[in-house]
PDB file of all heavy atoms in Angstrom:
ATOM      1  N   SER A   1       0.846  -1.180  -0.016  1.00 97.00           N
ATOM      2  CA  SER A   1      -0.028   0.012  -0.005  1.00 97.00           C
ATOM      3  C   SER A   1       0.859   1.239  -0.047  1.00 97.00           C
ATOM      4  O   SER A   1       1.997   1.245   0.403  1.00 97.00           O
ATOM      5  CB  SER A   1      -0.867   0.041   1.273  1.00 97.00           C
ATOM      6  OG  SER A   1      -1.741  -1.057   1.322  1.00 97.00           O
ATOM      7  N   TRP A   2       0.191   2.317  -0.413  1.00 98.00           N
ATOM      8  CA  TRP A   2       0.770   3.657  -0.225  1.00 98.00           C
ATOM      9  C   TRP A   2      -0.174   4.370   0.791  1.00 98.00           C
ATOM     10  O   TRP A   2      -1.329   4.351   0.623  1.00 98.00           O
ATOM     11  CB  TRP A   2       0.825   4.472  -1.511  1.00 98.00           C
ATOM     12  CG  TRP A   2       1.872   3.990  -2.498  1.00 98.00           C
ATOM     13  CD1 TRP A   2       1.691   3.144  -3.508  1.00 98.00           C
ATOM     14  CD2 TRP A   2       3.233   4.324  -2.446  1.00 98.00           C
ATOM     15  NE1 TRP A   2       2.895   2.953  -4.160  1.00 98.00           N
ATOM     16  CE2 TRP A   2       3.835   3.655  -3.532  1.00 98.00           C
ATOM     17  CE3 TRP A   2       3.981   5.180  -1.609  1.00 98.00           C
ATOM     18  CZ2 TRP A   2       5.258   3.826  -3.799  1.00 98.00           C
ATOM     19  CZ3 TRP A   2       5.354   5.344  -1.915  1.00 98.00           C
ATOM     20  CH2 TRP A   2       5.977   4.659  -3.022  1.00 98.00           C
ATOM     21  N   TYR A   3       0.469   4.956   1.766  1.00 98.00           N
ATOM     22  CA  TYR A   3      -0.170   5.867   2.707  1.00 98.00           C
ATOM     23  C   TYR A   3       0.431   7.256   2.612  1.00 98.00           C
ATOM     24  O   TYR A   3       1.432   7.435   2.032  1.00 98.00           O
ATOM     25  CB  TYR A   3       0.083   5.373   4.160  1.00 98.00           C
ATOM     26  CG  TYR A   3      -0.659   4.079   4.590  1.00 98.00           C
ATOM     27  CD1 TYR A   3      -0.161   2.828   4.161  1.00 98.00           C
ATOM     28  CD2 TYR A   3      -1.783   4.160   5.343  1.00 98.00           C
ATOM     29  CE1 TYR A   3      -0.864   1.722   4.556  1.00 98.00           C
ATOM     30  CE2 TYR A   3      -2.450   3.046   5.799  1.00 98.00           C
ATOM     31  CZ  TYR A   3      -1.944   1.738   5.365  1.00 98.00           C
ATOM     32  OH  TYR A   3      -2.651   0.624   5.822  1.00 98.00           O
ATOM     33  N   ARG A   4      -0.279   8.185   3.133  1.00 98.00           N
ATOM     34  CA  ARG A   4       0.260   9.584   3.215  1.00 98.00           C
ATOM     35  C   ARG A   4      -0.178  10.268   4.481  1.00 98.00           C
ATOM     36  O   ARG A   4      -1.182   9.896   5.073  1.00 98.00           O
ATOM     37  CB  ARG A   4      -0.137  10.394   1.996  1.00 98.00           C
ATOM     38  CG  ARG A   4      -1.682  10.730   1.948  1.00 98.00           C
ATOM     39  CD  ARG A   4      -2.008  11.454   0.596  1.00 98.00           C
ATOM     40  NE  ARG A   4      -3.430  11.772   0.465  1.00 98.00           N
ATOM     41  CZ  ARG A   4      -3.938  12.284  -0.571  1.00 98.00           C
ATOM     42  NH1 ARG A   4      -3.211  12.500  -1.671  1.00 98.00           N
ATOM     43  NH2 ARG A   4      -5.235  12.540  -0.572  1.00 98.00           N
ATOM     44  N   ARG A   5       0.637  11.194   4.920  1.00 98.00           N
ATOM     45  CA  ARG A   5       0.347  12.010   6.050  1.00 98.00           C
ATOM     46  C   ARG A   5       0.617  13.456   5.785  1.00 98.00           C
ATOM     47  O   ARG A   5       1.780  13.848   5.498  1.00 98.00           O
ATOM     48  CB  ARG A   5       1.108  11.585   7.260  1.00 98.00           C
ATOM     49  CG  ARG A   5       0.903  12.453   8.517  1.00 98.00           C
ATOM     50  CD  ARG A   5       1.529  11.807   9.759  1.00 98.00           C
ATOM     51  NE  ARG A   5       0.632  10.833  10.352  1.00 98.00           N
ATOM     52  CZ  ARG A   5       1.057   9.881  11.176  1.00 98.00           C
ATOM     53  NH1 ARG A   5       2.305   9.824  11.621  1.00 98.00           N
ATOM     54  NH2 ARG A   5       0.188   9.008  11.667  1.00 98.00           N
ATOM     55  N   ALA A   6      -0.394  14.259   5.780  1.00 96.00           N
ATOM     56  CA  ALA A   6      -0.326  15.689   5.532  1.00 96.00           C
ATOM     57  C   ALA A   6      -0.053  16.359   6.905  1.00 96.00           C
ATOM     58  O   ALA A   6      -0.471  15.861   7.882  1.00 96.00           O
ATOM     59  CB  ALA A   6      -1.582  16.206   4.867  1.00 96.00           C
ATOM     60  N   PRO A   7       0.527  17.544   6.820  1.00 91.00           N
ATOM     61  CA  PRO A   7       0.727  18.297   8.057  1.00 91.00           C
ATOM     62  C   PRO A   7      -0.484  18.520   8.860  1.00 91.00           C
ATOM     63  O   PRO A   7      -1.501  18.948   8.326  1.00 91.00           O
ATOM     64  CB  PRO A   7       1.345  19.632   7.582  1.00 91.00           C
ATOM     65  CG  PRO A   7       1.940  19.275   6.290  1.00 91.00           C
ATOM     66  CD  PRO A   7       1.103  18.238   5.696  1.00 91.00           C
ATOM     67  N   GLY A   8      -0.499  18.105  10.143  1.00 93.00           N
ATOM     68  CA  GLY A   8      -1.664  18.384  10.992  1.00 93.00           C
ATOM     69  C   GLY A   8      -2.780  17.378  10.801  1.00 93.00           C
ATOM     70  O   GLY A   8      -3.876  17.528  11.354  1.00 93.00           O
ATOM     71  N   LYS A   9      -2.570  16.388   9.918  1.00 95.00           N
ATOM     72  CA  LYS A   9      -3.624  15.427   9.650  1.00 95.00           C
ATOM     73  C   LYS A   9      -3.186  13.953   9.974  1.00 95.00           C
ATOM     74  O   LYS A   9      -2.028  13.719  10.161  1.00 95.00           O
ATOM     75  CB  LYS A   9      -4.035  15.477   8.223  1.00 95.00           C
ATOM     76  CG  LYS A   9      -4.726  16.811   7.754  1.00 95.00           C
ATOM     77  CD  LYS A   9      -5.175  16.719   6.313  1.00 95.00           C
ATOM     78  CE  LYS A   9      -5.858  17.955   5.911  1.00 95.00           C
ATOM     79  NZ  LYS A   9      -6.344  17.943   4.483  1.00 95.00           N
ATOM     80  N   GLU A  10      -4.163  13.097  10.092  1.00 96.00           N
ATOM     81  CA  GLU A  10      -3.854  11.689  10.367  1.00 96.00           C
ATOM     82  C   GLU A  10      -3.414  11.030   9.125  1.00 96.00           C
ATOM     83  O   GLU A  10      -3.710  11.434   8.001  1.00 96.00           O
ATOM     84  CB  GLU A  10      -5.083  10.985  10.945  1.00 96.00           C
ATOM     85  CG  GLU A  10      -5.542  11.500  12.352  1.00 96.00           C
ATOM     86  CD  GLU A  10      -6.647  10.669  12.951  1.00 96.00           C
ATOM     87  OE1 GLU A  10      -7.144   9.779  12.282  1.00 96.00           O
ATOM     88  OE2 GLU A  10      -7.000  10.923  14.080  1.00 96.00           O
ATOM     89  N   ARG A  11      -2.725   9.907   9.346  1.00 97.00           N
ATOM     90  CA  ARG A  11      -2.345   9.100   8.197  1.00 97.00           C
ATOM     91  C   ARG A  11      -3.456   8.584   7.399  1.00 97.00           C
ATOM     92  O   ARG A  11      -4.450   8.142   8.034  1.00 97.00           O
ATOM     93  CB  ARG A  11      -1.390   7.923   8.693  1.00 97.00           C
ATOM     94  CG  ARG A  11      -0.819   7.090   7.618  1.00 97.00           C
ATOM     95  CD  ARG A  11       0.099   6.040   8.228  1.00 97.00           C
ATOM     96  NE  ARG A  11      -0.702   5.112   8.998  1.00 97.00           N
ATOM     97  CZ  ARG A  11      -0.162   4.220   9.893  1.00 97.00           C
ATOM     98  NH1 ARG A  11       1.175   4.209  10.096  1.00 97.00           N
ATOM     99  NH2 ARG A  11      -0.891   3.389  10.574  1.00 97.00           N
ATOM    100  N   GLU A  12      -3.313   8.602   6.119  1.00 97.00           N
ATOM    101  CA  GLU A  12      -4.477   8.230   5.214  1.00 97.00           C
ATOM    102  C   GLU A  12      -3.983   7.113   4.247  1.00 97.00           C
ATOM    103  O   GLU A  12      -2.885   7.227   3.700  1.00 97.00           O
ATOM    104  CB  GLU A  12      -4.942   9.453   4.426  1.00 97.00           C
ATOM    105  CG  GLU A  12      -6.005   9.118   3.354  1.00 97.00           C
ATOM    106  CD  GLU A  12      -6.222  10.349   2.425  1.00 97.00           C
ATOM    107  OE1 GLU A  12      -5.401  11.192   2.357  1.00 97.00           O
ATOM    108  OE2 GLU A  12      -7.292  10.361   1.828  1.00 97.00           O
ATOM    109  N   LEU A  13      -4.858   6.072   4.125  1.00 98.00           N
ATOM    110  CA  LEU A  13      -4.543   5.029   3.118  1.00 98.00           C
ATOM    111  C   LEU A  13      -4.883   5.565   1.786  1.00 98.00           C
ATOM    112  O   LEU A  13      -6.035   6.003   1.519  1.00 98.00           O
ATOM    113  CB  LEU A  13      -5.348   3.808   3.470  1.00 98.00           C
ATOM    114  CG  LEU A  13      -5.240   2.639   2.473  1.00 98.00           C
ATOM    115  CD1 LEU A  13      -3.811   2.116   2.342  1.00 98.00           C
ATOM    116  CD2 LEU A  13      -6.161   1.487   2.872  1.00 98.00           C
ATOM    117  N   VAL A  14      -3.942   5.532   0.844  1.00 98.00           N
ATOM    118  CA  VAL A  14      -4.102   6.075  -0.498  1.00 98.00           C
ATOM    119  C   VAL A  14      -4.508   5.004  -1.452  1.00 98.00           C
ATOM    120  O   VAL A  14      -5.483   5.171  -2.254  1.00 98.00           O
ATOM    121  CB  VAL A  14      -2.821   6.770  -0.977  1.00 98.00           C
ATOM    122  CG1 VAL A  14      -2.989   7.292  -2.396  1.00 98.00           C
ATOM    123  CG2 VAL A  14      -2.482   7.970  -0.024  1.00 98.00           C
ATOM    124  N   ALA A  15      -3.725   3.869  -1.531  1.00 98.00           N
ATOM    125  CA  ALA A  15      -4.011   2.889  -2.527  1.00 98.00           C
ATOM    126  C   ALA A  15      -3.349   1.566  -2.041  1.00 98.00           C
ATOM    127  O   ALA A  15      -2.409   1.587  -1.298  1.00 98.00           O
ATOM    128  CB  ALA A  15      -3.371   3.263  -3.850  1.00 98.00           C
ATOM    129  N   THR A  16      -4.011   0.431  -2.411  1.00 98.00           N
ATOM    130  CA  THR A  16      -3.489  -0.895  -2.041  1.00 98.00           C
ATOM    131  C   THR A  16      -3.598  -1.763  -3.282  1.00 98.00           C
ATOM    132  O   THR A  16      -4.505  -1.766  -4.021  1.00 98.00           O
ATOM    133  CB  THR A  16      -4.399  -1.499  -0.890  1.00 98.00           C
ATOM    134  OG1 THR A  16      -4.274  -0.646   0.228  1.00 98.00           O
ATOM    135  CG2 THR A  16      -3.911  -2.912  -0.551  1.00 98.00           C
ATOM    136  N   ILE A  17      -2.609  -2.687  -3.380  1.00 96.00           N
ATOM    137  CA  ILE A  17      -2.592  -3.747  -4.332  1.00 96.00           C
ATOM    138  C   ILE A  17      -2.481  -5.041  -3.584  1.00 96.00           C
ATOM    139  O   ILE A  17      -1.531  -5.179  -2.778  1.00 96.00           O
ATOM    140  CB  ILE A  17      -1.556  -3.533  -5.435  1.00 96.00           C
ATOM    141  CG1 ILE A  17      -1.711  -4.675  -6.507  1.00 96.00           C
ATOM    142  CG2 ILE A  17      -0.146  -3.509  -4.920  1.00 96.00           C
ATOM    143  CD1 ILE A  17      -0.859  -4.391  -7.772  1.00 96.00           C
ATOM    144  N   PHE A  18      -3.350  -5.950  -3.854  1.00 94.00           N
ATOM    145  CA  PHE A  18      -3.321  -7.271  -3.101  1.00 94.00           C
ATOM    146  C   PHE A  18      -2.551  -8.315  -3.911  1.00 94.00           C
ATOM    147  O   PHE A  18      -2.218  -8.126  -5.099  1.00 94.00           O
ATOM    148  CB  PHE A  18      -4.767  -7.678  -2.875  1.00 94.00           C
ATOM    149  CG  PHE A  18      -5.461  -6.796  -1.889  1.00 94.00           C
ATOM    150  CD1 PHE A  18      -6.243  -5.706  -2.365  1.00 94.00           C
ATOM    151  CD2 PHE A  18      -5.404  -6.968  -0.503  1.00 94.00           C
ATOM    152  CE1 PHE A  18      -6.834  -4.838  -1.456  1.00 94.00           C
ATOM    153  CE2 PHE A  18      -6.016  -6.179   0.350  1.00 94.00           C
ATOM    154  CZ  PHE A  18      -6.775  -5.069  -0.089  1.00 94.00           C
ATOM    155  N   HIS A  19      -2.371  -9.430  -3.310  1.00 91.00           N
ATOM    156  CA  HIS A  19      -1.489 -10.470  -3.854  1.00 91.00           C
ATOM    157  C   HIS A  19      -1.904 -10.866  -5.318  1.00 91.00           C
ATOM    158  O   HIS A  19      -1.085 -11.061  -6.178  1.00 91.00           O
ATOM    159  CB  HIS A  19      -1.547 -11.715  -2.963  1.00 91.00           C
ATOM    160  CG  HIS A  19      -0.774 -12.913  -3.477  1.00 91.00           C
ATOM    161  ND1 HIS A  19       0.628 -12.932  -3.457  1.00 91.00           N
ATOM    162  CD2 HIS A  19      -1.138 -14.015  -4.105  1.00 91.00           C
ATOM    163  CE1 HIS A  19       1.018 -14.059  -3.946  1.00 91.00           C
ATOM    164  NE2 HIS A  19      -0.056 -14.777  -4.392  1.00 91.00           N
ATOM    165  N   TYR A  20      -3.222 -11.049  -5.525  1.00 90.00           N
ATOM    166  CA  TYR A  20      -3.654 -11.520  -6.843  1.00 90.00           C
ATOM    167  C   TYR A  20      -3.976 -10.334  -7.803  1.00 90.00           C
ATOM    168  O   TYR A  20      -4.537 -10.556  -8.901  1.00 90.00           O
ATOM    169  CB  TYR A  20      -4.876 -12.388  -6.674  1.00 90.00           C
ATOM    170  CG  TYR A  20      -4.558 -13.693  -6.014  1.00 90.00           C
ATOM    171  CD1 TYR A  20      -4.872 -14.048  -4.752  1.00 90.00           C
ATOM    172  CD2 TYR A  20      -3.846 -14.713  -6.800  1.00 90.00           C
ATOM    173  CE1 TYR A  20      -4.553 -15.209  -4.136  1.00 90.00           C
ATOM    174  CE2 TYR A  20      -3.519 -15.891  -6.254  1.00 90.00           C
ATOM    175  CZ  TYR A  20      -3.842 -16.176  -4.950  1.00 90.00           C
ATOM    176  OH  TYR A  20      -3.484 -17.337  -4.418  1.00 90.00           O
ATOM    177  N   GLY A  21      -3.557  -9.113  -7.391  1.00 90.00           N
ATOM    178  CA  GLY A  21      -3.660  -7.986  -8.299  1.00 90.00           C
ATOM    179  C   GLY A  21      -4.836  -7.027  -8.105  1.00 90.00           C
ATOM    180  O   GLY A  21      -4.853  -5.995  -8.806  1.00 90.00           O
ATOM    181  N   THR A  22      -5.751  -7.346  -7.257  1.00 96.00           N
ATOM    182  CA  THR A  22      -6.839  -6.361  -6.962  1.00 96.00           C
ATOM    183  C   THR A  22      -6.291  -5.099  -6.423  1.00 96.00           C
ATOM    184  O   THR A  22      -5.336  -5.107  -5.617  1.00 96.00           O
ATOM    185  CB  THR A  22      -7.775  -6.986  -6.014  1.00 96.00           C
ATOM    186  OG1 THR A  22      -8.292  -8.225  -6.475  1.00 96.00           O
ATOM    187  CG2 THR A  22      -8.988  -6.058  -5.708  1.00 96.00           C
ATOM    188  N   LYS A  23      -6.857  -4.006  -6.882  1.00 98.00           N
ATOM    189  CA  LYS A  23      -6.408  -2.636  -6.512  1.00 98.00           C
ATOM    190  C   LYS A  23      -7.601  -1.869  -5.840  1.00 98.00           C
ATOM    191  O   LYS A  23      -8.705  -1.970  -6.366  1.00 98.00           O
ATOM    192  CB  LYS A  23      -5.841  -1.850  -7.651  1.00 98.00           C
ATOM    193  CG  LYS A  23      -4.690  -2.585  -8.358  1.00 98.00           C
ATOM    194  CD  LYS A  23      -4.238  -1.834  -9.604  1.00 98.00           C
ATOM    195  CE  LYS A  23      -3.193  -2.617 -10.370  1.00 98.00           C
ATOM    196  NZ  LYS A  23      -2.780  -1.871 -11.612  1.00 98.00           N
ATOM    197  N   THR A  24      -7.290  -1.167  -4.806  1.00 98.00           N
ATOM    198  CA  THR A  24      -8.272  -0.247  -4.208  1.00 98.00           C
ATOM    199  C   THR A  24      -7.695   1.107  -3.988  1.00 98.00           C
ATOM    200  O   THR A  24      -6.436   1.214  -3.835  1.00 98.00           O
ATOM    201  CB  THR A  24      -8.780  -0.808  -2.852  1.00 98.00           C
ATOM    202  OG1 THR A  24      -7.659  -0.890  -1.963  1.00 98.00           O
ATOM    203  CG2 THR A  24      -9.440  -2.192  -3.016  1.00 98.00           C
ATOM    204  N   TYR A  25      -8.529   2.127  -4.054  1.00 98.00           N
ATOM    205  CA  TYR A  25      -8.074   3.539  -3.935  1.00 98.00           C
ATOM    206  C   TYR A  25      -8.957   4.332  -2.971  1.00 98.00           C
ATOM    207  O   TYR A  25     -10.174   4.067  -2.858  1.00 98.00           O
ATOM    208  CB  TYR A  25      -8.105   4.195  -5.302  1.00 98.00           C
ATOM    209  CG  TYR A  25      -7.209   3.611  -6.306  1.00 98.00           C
ATOM    210  CD1 TYR A  25      -7.601   2.583  -7.179  1.00 98.00           C
ATOM    211  CD2 TYR A  25      -5.851   3.969  -6.455  1.00 98.00           C
ATOM    212  CE1 TYR A  25      -6.829   2.016  -8.116  1.00 98.00           C
ATOM    213  CE2 TYR A  25      -5.036   3.415  -7.408  1.00 98.00           C
ATOM    214  CZ  TYR A  25      -5.506   2.451  -8.197  1.00 98.00           C
ATOM    215  OH  TYR A  25      -4.660   1.884  -9.133  1.00 98.00           O
ATOM    216  N   ALA A  26      -8.363   5.319  -2.384  1.00 98.00           N
ATOM    217  CA  ALA A  26      -9.142   6.289  -1.589  1.00 98.00           C
ATOM    218  C   ALA A  26      -9.952   7.063  -2.582  1.00 98.00           C
ATOM    219  O   ALA A  26      -9.553   7.355  -3.719  1.00 98.00           O
ATOM    220  CB  ALA A  26      -8.210   7.229  -0.823  1.00 98.00           C
ATOM    221  N   GLU A  27     -11.183   7.462  -2.206  1.00 98.00           N
ATOM    222  CA  GLU A  27     -12.083   8.243  -3.054  1.00 98.00           C
ATOM    223  C   GLU A  27     -11.367   9.492  -3.500  1.00 98.00           C
ATOM    224  O   GLU A  27     -11.577   9.921  -4.725  1.00 98.00           O
ATOM    225  CB  GLU A  27     -13.332   8.620  -2.292  1.00 98.00           C
ATOM    226  CG  GLU A  27     -14.313   7.508  -2.143  1.00 98.00           C
ATOM    227  CD  GLU A  27     -14.822   6.941  -3.462  1.00 98.00           C
ATOM    228  OE1 GLU A  27     -15.085   7.730  -4.378  1.00 98.00           O
ATOM    229  OE2 GLU A  27     -15.101   5.656  -3.592  1.00 98.00           O
ATOM    230  N   SER A  28     -10.508  10.135  -2.731  1.00 97.00           N
ATOM    231  CA  SER A  28      -9.937  11.416  -3.075  1.00 97.00           C
ATOM    232  C   SER A  28      -8.940  11.283  -4.229  1.00 97.00           C
ATOM    233  O   SER A  28      -8.536  12.289  -4.795  1.00 97.00           O
ATOM    234  CB  SER A  28      -9.250  11.991  -1.801  1.00 97.00           C
ATOM    235  OG  SER A  28      -8.255  11.075  -1.338  1.00 97.00           O
ATOM    236  N   VAL A  29      -8.480  10.050  -4.501  1.00 98.00           N
ATOM    237  CA  VAL A  29      -7.443   9.889  -5.577  1.00 98.00           C
ATOM    238  C   VAL A  29      -7.915   9.076  -6.737  1.00 98.00           C
ATOM    239  O   VAL A  29      -7.186   8.883  -7.709  1.00 98.00           O
ATOM    240  CB  VAL A  29      -6.117   9.319  -5.037  1.00 98.00           C
ATOM    241  CG1 VAL A  29      -5.678  10.101  -3.837  1.00 98.00           C
ATOM    242  CG2 VAL A  29      -6.303   7.835  -4.616  1.00 98.00           C
ATOM    243  N   LYS A  30      -9.152   8.480  -6.673  1.00 98.00           N
ATOM    244  CA  LYS A  30      -9.622   7.628  -7.797  1.00 98.00           C
ATOM    245  C   LYS A  30      -9.637   8.435  -9.047  1.00 98.00           C
ATOM    246  O   LYS A  30     -10.052   9.549  -9.152  1.00 98.00           O
ATOM    247  CB  LYS A  30     -11.041   7.189  -7.393  1.00 98.00           C
ATOM    248  CG  LYS A  30     -11.090   5.919  -6.551  1.00 98.00           C
ATOM    249  CD  LYS A  30     -12.511   5.450  -6.368  1.00 98.00           C
ATOM    250  CE  LYS A  30     -12.616   4.185  -5.532  1.00 98.00           C
ATOM    251  NZ  LYS A  30     -14.014   3.771  -5.310  1.00 98.00           N
ATOM    252  N   GLY A  31      -9.165   7.736 -10.094  1.00 98.00           N
ATOM    253  CA  GLY A  31      -9.152   8.332 -11.435  1.00 98.00           C
ATOM    254  C   GLY A  31      -7.894   9.193 -11.681  1.00 98.00           C
ATOM    255  O   GLY A  31      -7.662   9.625 -12.796  1.00 98.00           O
TER     256      GLY A  31
END
């Protein structure tokens, strides 16, 4: 996965790729 932490904010999950290739994204970065 990729996570990110902006100043003053909590850590956020950005995107994940699973073993068999499935990918998921945060709504804020989709597309």
Side-chain angles (χ1 to χ4, degrees):
S1 301
W2 287 98
Y3 288 79
R4 67 186 180 187
R5 176 170 280 161
K9 296 185 178 180
E10 293 188 356
R11 186 177 63 197
E12 175 189 20
L13 176 59
V14 176
T16 299
I17 183 166
F18 294 90
H19 177 76
Y20 290 107
T22 302
K23 303 175 184 180
T24 60
Y25 297 93
E27 285 296 324
S28 59
V29 306
K30 274 185 181 178

